[in-house]
Amino acid sequence: MYSDKYWQKEEVLPKKELEDLQLKRLKWVVRHAYDNVAFFRQRFKERGVHPDDIRKREDITKLPFTTKEDFKVNYPFGLFAVPKQKIIRIHTSSGTSGKPKVVGYTARDLENWINMVARCMYMVGVRSKDVFQNMVSYTFFTGGLGFHYAAERIGAMVVPAGTGNTERQIRYMIDFGTTVIHATPSYAMHIKEVAESLKIKPDETGLRIGCFGAEPWSNNTRKRLEDAFNIKAFDSYGLSEMNGPGVAFECEEQNGLHIWADHYFIEIVDKNGEAVSEGEKGELVLTPLTKEALPLIRYKTGDVTFVMDDECSCGRTHPKIHRILGRADDMIVVRGINVFPSQIEHVLMQIPEVGDHFQVLITRNGSLDEITVKVEMRDEAFTGELSDFKRIQSKVQRELYKELGLRTNVELVERGTIERFVLKAKRVVDLRDEI
Ligand code: DLL
């Protein structure tokens, strides 16, 4: 630990020093990838670029991008830059189809990763006195072990709960005196609902902090979770290809996520792979600067965000990104209008009559795309009166129109009708190709 306030001294490195460190590490990782991964060597040659061409940070744009597709071609270990005996762990990230992406770690990679997640947890106030209940999957998913070892490193008491068996999770929270929880926001919403059905009041638990991530969620969901559990809830961003969680995390300001620039080089690009203007939104491209096992160059994450490069009152000098707006490939294009599911969530979660669960169905009616939002109502709002029902339905439709500029069909359903998820939610069902 560096001080009472920070886990590592690198968190407050002056900007110039941080940039110098980035350049030094960028040169190292580019050379490492070129020397040890045939795939990168060939890509560099095709592009007519050599590691010696990297003299300043801006030279990164000379390098080719790496994509999710490249994992498929190189399945399982073709992108690894060290011999197999130096890899001490692997994880996988399952895409929606085809082969999973296999990611590997050397002992030093794991050490760096543990420290990055520890930085994040320490940043939001987790200390050795805390009881940390880790309610995500512990297997191939990076969220389980990623948080587990970091919490142990801080010295917290770890409850390796995993997912599911929600009533027991709630029992343990109370019996063990859990103070910090980690879950996907959709599972946290489900836990909230089960706790409510058990008539457990937020202040009956000793919870203080919630770490939520691994999928898009909204500020209005944050409010609901904070009220239900009497906690402060923080957004946690990461991806398996960049170790897992611990890439970026909110600090106590809850306004943007610090992205650890001593370990990741950040770019935001448009559809053509060109840098966007400062502060504009686009796809996040990351180059890990210290990864020995998997030195991905200019990796296109598919996640859409923008850089909020203002000074932060927490004192950390690492840039902040806005919470992820959505995945480029999650974006629904309906009648020419781009919609991210998180925009819909944002609208729904601020309407008091609306419950915590929803689903978006996209269908085609002739040549016209239709979007139907199925929304659970809160029990209290469900009076049985048709006029109430109609009023709420038009209210939801009106609010969605204001945000999306798009007419939607709204179907109100009873609580418990829509599927619950213990890890990442699947909220959008696109039936356009099936009709
Ligand atoms: O989800 C790693 C993780 C574990 C992050 C625990 C946070 C907490 P993957 O399964 O490889 O890794 O999925 C990565 O999930 O590219 C984003 O599209 C999405 N994602 C992750 N965190 C967030 C977030 C883990 N806070 C993919 N907001 C990423 C929005 C997120 N999307």
Side-chain angles (χ1 to χ4, degrees), residues 93 141-143 214-216 235-240 245 303 324 327 424:
S93 164
F141 179 60
T142 50
E215 62 179 355
D235 191 9
S236 150
Y237 170 76
L239 61 162
S240 316
D303 296 321
I324 301 294
R327 294 183 58 81
K424 304 189 189 212

Side-chain angles (χ1 to χ4, degrees), residues 368-410:
L368 214 59
D369 292 333
E370 294 273 351
I371 181 163
T372 303
V373 183
K374 257 170 103 171
V375 181
E376 285 191 8
M377 283 173 73
R378 251 188 222 290
D379 286 347
E380 308 87 86
F382 204 77
T383 58
E385 292 288 330
L386 191 62
S387 56
D388 279 340
F389 202 76
K390 287 244 178 267
R391 179 184 57 78
I392 298 169
Q393 192 177 32
S394 353
K395 181 173 175 183
V396 175
Q397 217 161 27
R398 214 172 36 242
E399 294 300 316
L400 283 169
Y401 185 79
K402 269 202 252 162
E403 167 80 21
L404 311 175
L406 193 72
R407 251 194 83 75
T408 51
N409 305 314
V410 171

Side-chain angles (χ1 to χ4, degrees), residues 251-300:
C251 62
E252 67 241 31
E253 267 202 2
Q254 293 178 307
N255 178 30
L257 291 80
H258 286 282
I259 182 156
W260 300 124
D262 52 339
H263 290 281
Y264 301 105
F265 193 103
I266 309 138
E267 296 172 85
I268 307 277
V269 303
D270 63 16
K271 279 204 298 289
N272 305 318
E274 300 293 333
V276 300
S277 337
E278 236 177 270
E280 261 189 54
K281 70 177 184 201
E283 180 176 358
L284 178 67
V285 171
L286 293 174
T287 303
L289 297 172
T290 50
K291 276 282 269 176
E292 293 180 330
L294 194 57
L296 300 175
I297 304 296
R298 302 189 83 199
Y299 185 70
K300 295 187 87 174

Side-chain angles (χ1 to χ4, degrees), residues 47-118:
R47 182 126 178 175
V49 63
H50 187 269
D52 291 342
D53 297 331
I54 305 298
R55 295 193 198 96
K56 47 187 195 311
R57 292 167 69 254
E58 295 71 30
D59 289 335
I60 195 168
T61 57
K62 295 178 178 166
L63 300 169
F65 290 110
T66 311
T67 64
K68 293 177 193 290
E69 199 51 41
D70 297 329
F71 271 91
K72 275 192 205 149
V73 180
N74 290 287
Y75 176 85
F77 302 144
L79 292 174
F80 287 2
V82 297
K84 220 161 137 191
Q85 66 266 28
K86 290 204 79 182
I87 304 276
I88 62 168
R89 188 177 332 141
I90 61 164
H91 282 282
T92 64
S93 164
S94 51
T96 37
S97 61
K99 292 177 178 150
K101 299 181 223 55
V102 182
V103 299
Y105 308 76
T106 64
R108 207 179 78 175
D109 291 338
L110 281 188
E111 193 54 27
N112 281 332
W113 184 28
I114 291 170
N115 272 308
M116 276 188 273
V117 181

Side-chain angles (χ1 to χ4, degrees), residues 7-24:
W7 180 252
Q8 289 185 307
K9 63 178 186 315
E10 289 81 357
E11 292 167 53
V12 286
L13 266 188
K15 269 218 148 66
K16 174 79 177 69
E17 279 179 47
L18 194 52
E19 286 177 3
D20 290 347
L21 183 63
Q22 278 202 318
L23 178 59
K24 190 173 132 213

